[in-house]
Amino acid sequence: QAVVTQEPSLTVSPGGTVTLTCGSSTGAVTSGHYPYWFQQKPGQAPRTLIYDTTNKHSWTPARFSGSLLGGKAALTLSGAQPEDEAEYYCSLSYSGTRVFGGGTRLTVL
Amino acid sequence: EVQLVESGGGSVQPGGSLRLSCAASGFTFSSYYMYWVRQAPGKGLVWVSHINGDGSNTKYADSVKGRFTISRDNAKNTLYLQMNSLRAEDTAVYYCASSCRDGTCPGWGQGILVTVSS
């Protein structure tokens, strides 16, 4: 089974920009992996931020964007807010199955 | 208002069975793939299974294949997960979640705890 890798932790200053990445043990991540990004705050259910690499949900804040970057899926947060402090997970599709990354703990400090 | 509400969790002994349900409302349930995702205490998210809109195609993680069965009843707007031969390592909060399409992600349920212990 493929392994999906994410940075264990990142820190961003309020108002700053940070990019979280999502890599695959099988090689470059492409749009065919249909990357999803999720945000989870302590004690809460996850919520979907980005789907199919770049698409946003109707409520996804404009400061979040998805892309492919250097063979990985990427989630960029531009203008970080204190409420963005959370765990972020990516998920990739492999021939119809899905694999989650281990998550990135984002601190806004 | 979009809602996904799980039920059916609880405590069970190893080898036992449970059936989770996820009642959906506020969106066209049959138009979306539906997922079960679990999270062991203090751990990350793990994909368990998913099913397509009409229920004709299902996929499972290797760890649950042959033990868990996903299904849906589009007339009742309900997703199910039949869990048999439960093991201690199946202990987790189980979430139901929808896929996304056309700018809409109906979302995730609040999660339900399944504890497998003797």
Side-chain angles (χ1 to χ4, degrees), chain A residues 36 40 48 51 57-58 96 98, chain B residues 39 47 50 100 103 105 108-109:
Chain A
Y36 273 56
Q40 187 178 34
T48 307
Y51 70 99
H57 182 43
S58 54
R98 278 242 162 221
Chain B
Q39 187 170 36
W47 171 77
H50 70 248
C100 301
C105 303
W108 293 63

Side-chain angles (χ1 to χ4, degrees), chain A residues 22-68:
Chain A
C22 177
S24 171
S25 63
T26 63
V29 175
T30 71
S31 59
H33 289 97
Y34 303 100
Y36 273 56
W37 289 93
F38 308 92
Q39 179 192 66
Q40 187 178 34
K41 296 182 179 180
Q44 296 183 16
R47 60 178 191 171
T48 307
L49 284 175
I50 300 286
Y51 70 99
D52 295 350
T53 310
T54 61
N55 295 307
K56 297 182 184 182
H57 182 43
S58 54
W59 57 259
T60 302
R63 60 184 180 272
F64 289 97
S65 63
S67 65
L68 294 176

